[in-house]
């Protein structure tokens, strides 16, 4: 299944590094999401883009910076992260104002911050 | 109170058993409800939507109780391949909020282990 792809699948970075996570959806959706999934915690919604505009920022620290250049692509730029930011970062997409309200997830990027 | 609450388990059941999970939600205005399945180290995938009248898909039955604000998932004749974490998902502001997107809240998930 290649509806929503994410790269890289695994990432190890130091606290001073800068890296970016990439998400691409091939489903013709207009809304894209970043979630964080930590052990023993529910998925935490980080950002939502609707028609390429950010419509939700769930009190996420500024060391996480999203970018949505078009409706098919979503990035999460990372800099000066902390070890507690280690988690699975999931991208999802859904239709906008459509009958289907299912979110489709990418496989995630497993991030480790040293 | 958590917005969406689930027993994290694990539920260990023998093959062939029937198992049920409940999930409670706090926002009485919620309109859409879903069960997602997440296998170990994989992404969540939609298992089924939950409709007011209840719905069934093979061995899986989902029910909604608006009065008590909970949804349930029943799995009959459990298979080894059913072992996974089952996530309860609730649209907390109705089918569409002012942003025009589907904002949902996830429960922590209930882990099911089906044993031979």
């Amino acid at each position: 299944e290649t509806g929503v792809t994410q790269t890289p699948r695994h990432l190890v970075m130091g606290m001073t590094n800068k890296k970016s996570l990439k998400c691409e959806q091939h489903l013709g959706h207009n809304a894209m999401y970043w979630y964080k999934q930590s052990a023993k915690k529910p998925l935490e919604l980080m950002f939502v883009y609707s028609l390429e505009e950010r419509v939700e920022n769930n009190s996420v620290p500024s060391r996480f910076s999203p970018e949505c250049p078009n409706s098919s692509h979503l990035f999460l730029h990372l800099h000066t992260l902390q070890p507690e930011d280690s988690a699975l970062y999931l991208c999802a997409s859904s239709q906008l104002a459509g009958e289907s309200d299912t979110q489709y997830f990418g496989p995630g990027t497993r991030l480790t911050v040293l | 109170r958590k917005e969406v609450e689930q027993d994290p388990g694990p539920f260990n059941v023998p093959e062939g058993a029937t198992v049920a999970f409940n999930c409670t939600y706090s926002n009485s205005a919620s309109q859409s409800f879903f069960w997602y399945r997440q296998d170990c180290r994989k992404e969540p995938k939609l298992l089924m939507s939950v409709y007011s009248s209840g719905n069934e898909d093979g061995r899986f039955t989902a029910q909604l109780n608006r009065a008590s604000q909970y949804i349930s998932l029943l799995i009959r004749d459990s298979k080894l391949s059913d072992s996974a974490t089952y996530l309860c998902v609730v649209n907390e502001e109705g089918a569409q909020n002012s942003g025009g997107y589907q904002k949902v809240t996830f429960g922590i998930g209930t882990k099911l282990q089906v044993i031979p």
Side-chain angles (χ1 to χ4, degrees), chain A:
Chain A
E1 296 180 21
T2 58
V4 181
T5 57
Q6 288 186 245
T7 54
R9 295 292 306 276
H10 300 271
L11 178 62
V12 179
M13 60 187 289
M15 290 192 287
T16 58
N17 291 158
K18 290 185 180 181
K19 297 286 183 184
S20 295
L21 309 185
K22 179 183 176 182
C23 174
E24 184 173 358
Q25 59 96 0
H26 310 273
L27 301 169
H29 291 164
N30 291 306
M32 296 187 76
Y33 311 74
W34 279 117
Y35 287 90
K36 176 184 179 182
Q37 188 173 35
S38 305
K40 302 189 186 303
K41 288 187 176 181
L43 267 74
E44 300 171 51
L45 180 65
M46 300 176 71
F47 302 103
V48 183
Y49 277 82
S50 175
L51 295 173
E52 301 159 40
E53 285 192 26
R54 192 190 311 181
V55 296
E56 185 82 18
N57 179 343
N58 255 11
S59 303
V60 179
S62 59
R63 56 186 184 268
F64 294 92
S65 174
E67 179 191 359
C68 187
N70 55 62
S71 60
S72 299
H73 293 86
L74 185 65
F75 294 90
L76 187 63
H77 303 300
L78 316 171
H79 67 98
T80 59
L81 294 192
Q82 304 298 311
E84 60 264 30
D85 296 323
S86 299
L88 180 67
Y89 289 84
L90 290 159
C91 172
S93 70
S94 70
Q95 289 195 19
L96 178 62
E99 294 182 1
S100 170
D101 45 12
T102 302
Q103 292 195 14
Y104 294 83
F105 286 85
T109 294
R110 189 160 295 278
L111 173 67
T112 302
V113 181
L114 302 176

